[in-house]
Amino acid sequence: MSNSDNDAKFCYSYDSKYTDMQAVEVGRPYQGVPAPINIEDAATYIQPWNGYDPQCTLDNKEQCQCLPSQTFNIKLNSEYNNVEVESDEWMSLACEAAKEGLAGGGGPFGAVILQIDDESNEVIRYWKNHNHVTKWNDPTAHAEVTTIRAACQQLGVFDLSKINKKDSKLPQPGQTSHCIIYSSAEPCPMCYAAISWARMPQLIFAATRYDSAVQGVAFSDEEIYEEMAKPYSQRVMMKVYQSSTENSLDAFNLWKRSPKTPY
């Protein structure tokens, strides 16, 4: 498919050297969720690290003295208890996508969606994408969202929890399949909601929200989490009002009394 064809479908142009919206065929079993991490003694546990320590290319080289390479994930309190697992090839691929996104001028986030056959557990294909916010001038173009868009568009569905063979625009061996997602970092509230709306039953992420917020990275979502927990009247990020409008329920009333495609 040419870039012009891609532009027509995705409404954005992109450099195919760094971005490939197309599915990659696989055809081998999914090995399942990686094994749980067994930390018998948290005081002596050392998290694996590949040793990647990039050279400083900032104009102000002195700044790099304050921005050392991080070697472990930051996990506060007990938020990640009982969900910590080892890595696998798909998690590594999502993290590679995040790094590739930087080369293409995007943000440091990547995602991989696997389509898995329900009967055979075969990974039929995968989509890999990264953050395009600054390249597309689209604040919603996070890695998870762009990957969901690509998968749904090419499959011709909006529900990734159960893809029927008769409905899919792409071939699949069994009658039904489903998708799961790997994200290089803990999804922001928008992306978590998008994954939920896509009905994907499984999410695995690598870096935590606290890793995203460290000095020099500075992608903190904590303000959003705190804001969403407050009543509207106490929120400070934006002024919010509920308007009593006579036609506010027209669309809902028409929806519930008309033939429709539920989603």
Side-chain angles (χ1 to χ4, degrees):
M1 182 177 290
S2 69
N3 269 2
S4 60
D5 291 334
N6 281 328
D7 295 350
K9 285 193 170 187
F10 288 95
C11 304
Y12 295 109
S13 60
Y14 56 83
D15 188 342
S16 59
K17 180 180 178 181
Y18 303 108
T19 300
D20 187 359
M21 296 287 191
Q22 303 306 306
V24 178
E25 305 298 319
V26 181
R28 49 189 165 81
Y30 177 57
Q31 300 301 318
V33 179
I37 294 177
N38 183 17
I39 306 177
E40 295 182 359
D41 185 354
T44 60
Y45 173 75
I46 302 296
Q47 179 179 316
W49 179 52
N50 65 1
Y52 179 65
D53 189 19
Q55 181 181 359
C56 179
T57 56
L58 294 175
D59 292 335
N60 184 352
K61 297 295 188 291
E62 292 183 358
Q63 287 185 359
C64 282
Q65 296 179 8
C66 303
L67 303 171
S69 292
Q70 189 174 328
T71 66
F72 62 92
N73 298 125
I74 302 171
K75 303 174 185 178
L76 302 183
N77 305 316
S78 58
E79 290 180 69
Y80 307 99
N81 285 5
N82 302 315
V83 299
E84 296 168 290
V85 298
E86 297 176 355
S87 186
D88 62 11
E89 62 176 305
W90 308 113
M91 191 73 264
S92 296
L93 190 63
C95 293
E96 289 174 14
K99 191 176 172 185
E100 290 170 359
L102 286 174
F109 302 94
V112 170
I113 289 178
L114 306 184
Q115 183 186 7
I116 302 171
D117 183 69
D118 288 336
E119 184 175 346
S120 66
N121 199 44
E122 171 188 312
V123 179
I124 305 169
R125 57 183 60 89
Y126 72 83
W127 291 263
K128 180 183 71 169
N129 216 324
H130 52 79
N131 181 287
H132 290 83
V133 169
T134 56
K135 294 294 289 184
W136 292 352
N137 293 320
D138 181 353
T140 70
H142 290 199
E144 296 89 342
V145 172
T146 59
T147 312
I148 290 171
R149 288 173 181 169
C152 287
Q153 191 167 79
Q154 288 165 32
L155 287 167
V157 301
F158 51 77
D159 184 340
L160 296 177
S161 68
K162 186 175 181 180
I163 304 153
N164 290 297
K165 191 172 187 174
K166 62 180 179 62
D167 298 327
S168 178
K169 292 164 59 176
L170 297 178
Q172 60 185 53
Q175 291 303 311
T176 61
S177 65
H178 69 280
C179 290
I180 63 174
I181 188 167
Y182 284 76
S183 178
S184 68
E186 186 173 353
C188 72
M190 177 186 73
C191 290
Y192 189 90
I195 293 167
S196 299
W197 274 112
R199 305 288 193 265
M200 280 186 280
Q202 181 177 304
L203 158 69
I204 301 177
F205 63 84
T208 69
R209 71 175 79 164
Y210 305 106
D211 298 325
S212 300
V214 299
Q215 182 171 261
V217 181
F219 286 104
S220 177
D221 298 318
E222 207 58 36
E223 187 177 10
I224 300 176
Y225 286 108
E226 293 174 356
E227 184 89 345
M228 294 295 289
K230 298 175 183 176
Y232 280 114
S233 61
Q234 296 177 19
R235 297 184 187 183
V236 296
M237 290 182 68
M238 68 180 78
K239 292 293 184 182
V240 180
Y241 303 92
Q242 190 276 321
S243 173
S244 295
T245 305
E246 65 177 12
N247 61 344
S248 66
L249 298 174
D250 287 2
F252 290 161
N253 289 332
L254 179 60
W255 168 268
K256 67 186 178 184
R257 296 183 175 205
S258 306
K260 54 188 152 294
T261 301
Y263 65 91

